[in-house]
């Protein structure tokens, strides 16, 4: 299956993280983050449970259910099984393409923010996540060491997923994945494959998997009040045949994440219900949100990375140029 076993092998296959993309990260919550939090009704939390297992769960509530305690802290109702340590949030605004990623740690004081950045909208665009979908009448649930027929059927219908991972030092990350339904490929009773499509060019998940294979994956089907959570270990494959199986629009992914599942849970999601996630009437008015290009431009200017290159990029960052580049990227580089 051509597994990737080292960072040099990984970067040969998919390229190195793009330095300019890393400058879009800030170490606190600014006014853009606060605006997004104020209208968000859902977030996917990646965390480690008391048994040391990587987990992921969708949290939901009324707009602003995640509140800022300070520029470096969030008030959050953590799952009962969450252990102190590295954690990550992918914050969703229903109706909006972009997502806010916030990484840090959880403990008795809530969520301590270490980094925040706006993620590009490609996964949401590819998945059609916020498009109208009929309510699902399916009620089947499952909790097993293998992917049973009900979980497999759900995964086959799921266009959107979030992968939570952490590196060897416990630094956490949750990354969105979006594709037409059917591309979250069940290869066997304990094996799932996910294409690594173009995104924000940071490759955090892939680097984490190289150093620590433990992952959790949460899959969603628009209109369905359930979610599938898969926990297990992941490898990165560059196998040509597998990559071609997952080709879209004539373009095969450069790499595929292959998850060996130790637990598959299909269950009603309290977070989806609390967020009324699929109710189009409760989706955000995106006109009230900041332009993504303005967020990225401001975050580049607020990034504190040292070095001549970083200083030059901060000096030349321009919102109009950023907006034109993003629009072109969304049109030409979805796959």
């Amino acid at each position: 299956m051509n597994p990737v076993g080292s960072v040099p092998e990984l970067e040969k296959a998919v390229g190195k993280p793009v330095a300019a993309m890393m400058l879009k990260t800030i170490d606190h919550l600014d006014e853009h983050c606060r605006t997004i939090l104020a209208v968000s009704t859902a977030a996917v939390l990646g965390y480690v449970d008391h048994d040391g297992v990587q987990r992921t769960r969708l949290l939901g509530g009324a707009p602003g259910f995640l509140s800022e305690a300070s520029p470096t802290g969030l008030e959050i109702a953590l799952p009962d099984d969450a252990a102190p340590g590295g954690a990550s949030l992918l914050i969703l605004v229903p109706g909006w393409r972009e997502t806010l990623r916030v990484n840090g740690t959880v403990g008795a004081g809530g969520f301590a923010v270490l980094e925040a950045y706006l993620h590009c909208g490609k996964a949401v665009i590819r998945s059609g996540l916020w498009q109208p979908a009929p309510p699902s009448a399916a009620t089947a649930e499952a909790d097993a060491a293998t992917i049973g027929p009900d979980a497999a059927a759900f995964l086959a219908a799921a266009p959107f997923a979030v992968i939570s991972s952490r590196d060897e030092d416990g630094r956490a990350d949750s990354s969105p994945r979006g594709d037409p339904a059917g591309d979250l490929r069940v290869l066997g009773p304990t094996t799932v494959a996910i294409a690594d499509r173009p995104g924000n060019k940071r490759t955090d998940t892939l680097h984490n998997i190289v150093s620590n294979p433990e992952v959790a994956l949460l899959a969603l089907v628009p209109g369905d009040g359930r979610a599938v959570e898969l926990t297990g270990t992941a490898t990165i494959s560059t196998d040509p045949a597998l990559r071609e199986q997952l080709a879209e629009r004539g373009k095969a992914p450069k790499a595929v994440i292959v998850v060996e599942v130790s637990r598959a849970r299909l269950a009603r999601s309290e977070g989806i219900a609390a967020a009324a996630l699929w109710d189009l009437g409760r989706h955000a008015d995106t006109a009230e949100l900041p332009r993504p290009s303005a967020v990225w431009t401001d975050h580049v200017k607020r990034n504190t990375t040292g070095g001549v290159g970083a200083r030059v990029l901060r000096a030349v960052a321009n919102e109009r140029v950023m907006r034109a580049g993003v629009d072109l990227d969304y049109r030409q580089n979805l796959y």
Side-chain angles (χ1 to χ4, degrees), residues 41-187:
T41 58
V44 177
L45 173 70
Y47 66 98
V48 178
D49 68 18
H50 290 298
D51 294 323
V53 177
Q54 179 71 48
R55 301 292 303 275
T56 186
R57 184 177 301 185
L58 190 139
L59 310 177
F65 80 104
L66 290 175
S67 59
E68 181 194 29
S70 73
T72 56
L74 282 169
E75 293 182 3
I76 181 173
L78 295 170
D80 292 339
D81 62 347
S88 51
L89 283 164
L90 180 78
I91 297 168
L92 302 169
V93 176
W96 202 40
R97 300 180 302 186
E98 285 72 26
T99 52
L100 180 64
R101 290 168 70 169
V102 181
N103 299 332
T105 61
V106 293
F111 193 107
V113 175
L114 296 178
E115 62 176 358
Y117 55 98
L118 192 68
H119 189 90
C120 76
K122 292 179 183 178
V124 171
I125 294 169
R126 289 191 298 260
S127 70
L129 182 64
W130 306 128
Q131 296 303 308
S136 171
T139 60
E141 299 189 6
D143 186 347
T146 59
I147 302 168
D150 293 317
F154 188 96
L155 291 169
F160 187 80
V162 178
I163 302 177
S164 295
S165 62
R166 63 193 192 280
D167 67 12
E168 59 191 349
D169 297 318
R171 290 179 295 231
D173 181 76
S174 288
S175 174
R177 306 284 153 158
D179 259 327
D183 275 4
L184 189 56
R185 196 67 54 88
V186 177
L187 301 181

Side-chain angles (χ1 to χ4, degrees), residues 8-31:
E9 287 181 41
L10 172 65
E11 294 182 346
K12 181 179 179 181
V14 303
K16 294 183 178 181
V18 176
M21 298 300 107
M22 308 306 285
L23 289 179
K24 294 179 179 178
T25 303
I26 57 175
D27 60 2
H28 62 283
L29 303 172
D30 67 353
E31 73 275 12

Side-chain angles (χ1 to χ4, degrees), residues 233-259:
T233 56
T235 55
I236 301 162
S237 173
T238 57
D239 181 75
L242 181 57
R243 290 169 49 223
E244 282 300 324
Q245 283 186 47
L246 295 171
E248 283 287 347
R249 300 186 185 181
K251 295 183 179 181
K254 293 180 180 179
V256 177
I257 299 171
V258 180
V259 180

Side-chain angles (χ1 to χ4, degrees), residues 10-11 14-25 101 117-123 126 173 175-177 196-207 254 296 322 325-335:
L10 172 65
E11 294 182 346
V14 303
K16 294 183 178 181
V18 176
M21 298 300 107
M22 308 306 285
L23 289 179
K24 294 179 179 178
T25 303
R101 290 168 70 169
Y117 55 98
L118 192 68
H119 189 90
C120 76
K122 292 179 183 178
R126 289 191 298 260
D173 181 76
S175 174
R177 306 284 153 158
D196 186 62
R197 307 285 186 203
N200 62 356
K201 301 178 182 178
R202 289 175 53 110
T203 62
D204 299 287
T205 300
L206 302 185
H207 279 83
K254 293 180 180 179
W296 284 315
M322 181 81 73
V326 170
D327 290 344
L328 182 65
D329 188 42
Y330 281 7
R331 289 196 304 270
Q332 296 186 351
N333 298 315
L334 283 181
Y335 289 97

